[in-house]
Each structure stands twice: as structure tokens, then as C-alpha cells.
Amino acid sequence: MSASLKISKFSTVDLARLLRRGELLLRLGPFVARLKSDVPLLACDISLIYADFDVCPIDAFADFHVEIARETGLRRWFKPQIRFFFDGRPSFIPLPVAHAIAMLEWGLNWCVAAHCHQYLIIHAAVIEKDGKSVMLPAPPGSGKSTLCTGLVMRGWRLLSDELALYDIASDLIYGMSRPINLKNQSIDVIKQFAPAAVMTASMPDTTKGTVALVRPPLTSVLRAGEPVLPTWIVLPKYSPGSASELARHSRARTFMLIAEQSFNYDIQGQRGFEAIGRLVDQSQCYQFTYSQLDDAERIFDALLEGRIG
């Protein structure tokens, strides 16, 4: 391959062959990952949820060399398992072969969080519309991914569901526009709210419960290389049965949450402390409690249009 093509241009047979050879190089925003696997199911899932992503030439530089490989011995045939390799070294405990795409996603998250310290890496979703951005930092179980998916399916651009890449030198936020990871009840919530959403089959009994991955919209993938300036930082909290409310949140408490949700804050040291200070100072900070995505859409549109101060 001498030039970039989309994943959708390849059949699953061709993708499986590239994976077996370790010749599938996937463009992920500012990064390139070289993928290798002997798991045929992985080619099908990559074809489904990465359809609009670029495949780079096989001689391109890759930031990460990863492999999802079937275990040898008895585990190759009895309750087959797979293992994640980074630079040829096993990195995580084995998982069932049916969880291959989830393992790939979690492994790629780890590759970025553990190695890309040119960014302050924050556990946060990032979306954008009309040149204004929302960062949604939150611990697991806060409804971050559900809210992110709902808004993305209503026209917001996806930068990140999981990893916000804050460039300390430019104060810009980068993303990878990768598939969104939904868990448990969120899967059915999104199927009802956005029936046209394309997602993998649900994968039960993972370490995170039942998970499914949502294909990002084409418009988001095509603009994956475009960073955003900070506008709003919104701390989401899903609260079943509660009325939706967007309330001001103190910058001090927002600072502390972002520091807690940063993967490499301790590595960045003073630079990280100052970077979070600038990020918070440039942003209006809120806490958002919600139970219904229709309400969330209405409130975020009002915020975008300046009808909320």
C-alpha cells in the first residue's frame, strides 16, 4: 500500500490477512498503531467500528506495535483465550477470544496513557460543536460515556470518549475519535436513544461487565486531527430518576478532580500542575446531573447557544 486507504476499502478476508502478517497500520489521531493478530473475529469487529479510519502504508512509522494472539496449548482449543502483546511482550492477563476487540481497545488506551507523556492525559470525554468544546472528566460509573455518546449522536463532534490529550505547549486538546466504550445498562439506553448507532455485539462477563463499542460518526473521524481550545469543563453524574441540572462548579474542586483523573499528572510534576491551572482558568466549570439524554441534549444546546450563563 503506497497511500492511505480507509478500513472500509478492505474486505474482512484482506484485513485478516494484514493482521496475520502484522501489516495493518491504523491511524489514530496523532498516533499510528501497527496491529497483528491471528484472531479472525478481530478483523470483523475492526471492519465494523473502524470503517472510516485510515490505513497507513506498511513502511510508515508506528508509535505502537501491538498484537492480540491466541494462547497456545490447551487454551487454544478449550475455552480459547487471547493475550495482548506490546512490543512483543505480554502485558495483561488473558481474556476469552470473544473479547478480542475490547482487549484491543483497552490495550490501546494503556499504550497512550503509559507512554505519551508529551500530553497531559486525562480520563475524560471531549466533544465539540460550532468551535466550542466540552471536556467531561469523571471516574468510572459517572455516565460519562453514555452522555458523550448521546450528544455525539445528536451532532456534536467526538474527539475522545476515554482519553483527553492536553498539549501542555499549546493548551490545545487533542483526541483520537476512536470507538466509544459502553457498559451494562448504557448499551440499551443508547440503542433506544439512537437506533441508527452502529456497535459491536455485546460482550458479557468482562472485567467491566457487559461492554459494546460504538462506531464514531464519519464526520468526527474525518476531523480527528483537529484539536480544540478549552471552553467548558462539565463533571457528569448520572442519577436515575433525577431532574437534569447544570450547576456552576468551583474551579478549585474542578482542578482537584482533573488531577485525580489524570494518568500522568505525577510524571509531569510542576508542568502538570501549571497545565491543569491554565486548563481550568480558560474554562467555565459546571457539574451536570442527569437521567434522560433528551434533557441533556436540550441543556447542552442551550449552553452552546449562550442561553445558560
Side-chain angles (χ1 to χ4, degrees), residues 72-88:
T72 57
L74 181 63
R75 278 301 189 186
R76 188 172 183 86
W77 311 108
F78 178 70
K79 295 184 178 180
Q81 291 188 330
I82 50 171
R83 190 181 288 269
F84 181 90
F85 290 82
F86 174 74
D87 283 350

Side-chain angles (χ1 to χ4, degrees), residues 62-120:
D63 299 273
F64 316 118
H65 294 247
V66 304
E67 180 179 2
I68 305 290
R70 292 167 64 97
E71 286 280 79
T72 57
L74 181 63
R75 278 301 189 186
R76 188 172 183 86
W77 311 108
F78 178 70
K79 295 184 178 180
Q81 291 188 330
I82 50 171
R83 190 181 288 269
F84 181 90
F85 290 82
F86 174 74
D87 283 350
R89 294 171 293 180
S91 300
F92 305 108
I93 63 172
L95 292 179
V97 69
H99 298 171
I101 189 66
M103 175 173 265
L104 176 63
E105 289 302 293
W106 298 337
L108 288 172
N109 286 343
W110 174 80
C111 288
V112 175
H115 299 92
C116 300
H117 301 309
Q118 66 269 40
Y119 301 103
L120 180 70

Side-chain angles (χ1 to χ4, degrees), residues 154 185-196 199 293:
R154 290 294 189 268
Q185 294 90 344
S186 297
I187 299 170
D188 287 335
V189 169
I190 293 302
K191 284 181 177 179
Q192 293 176 19
F193 182 75
M199 64 178 74
L293 287 174

Side-chain angles (χ1 to χ4, degrees), residues 207-286:
T207 55
K208 300 184 180 184
T210 298
V211 303
L213 294 155
V214 180
R215 180 199 290 179
L218 171 62
T219 52
S220 295
V221 177
L222 293 178
R223 298 177 60 193
E226 297 180 24
V228 295
L229 284 166
T231 307
W232 297 293
I233 300 173
V234 179
L235 283 55
K237 181 181 179 183
Y238 176 73
S239 180
S242 66
S244 296
E245 180 184 16
L246 184 69
R248 286 283 189 174
H249 198 261
S250 77
R251 282 189 162 88
R253 293 176 65 186
T254 302
F255 183 107
M256 293 302 297
L257 178 76
I258 291 177
E260 291 170 1
Q261 294 301 312
S262 172
F263 291 96
N264 60 348
Y265 176 65
D266 54 339
I267 293 174
Q268 298 290 353
Q270 183 176 345
R271 292 176 71 244
F273 179 86
E274 293 172 351
I276 294 178
R278 292 195 306 274
L279 172 61
V280 171
D281 285 343
Q282 292 177 72
S283 306
Q284 296 180 44
C285 303
Y286 294 90

Side-chain angles (χ1 to χ4, degrees), residues 7 25 31 58 73 85 88 95 116 122-123 147 162 165 175 177 183 193 202 210-211 221 226 231:
I7 285 283
L25 278 79
F31 310 117
I58 60 173
F85 290 82
L95 292 179
C116 300
I122 304 164
H123 180 236
L147 178 61
E162 195 73 15
L165 308 174
S177 303
K183 299 183 287 292
F193 182 75
S202 295
T210 298
V211 303
V221 177
E226 297 180 24
T231 307

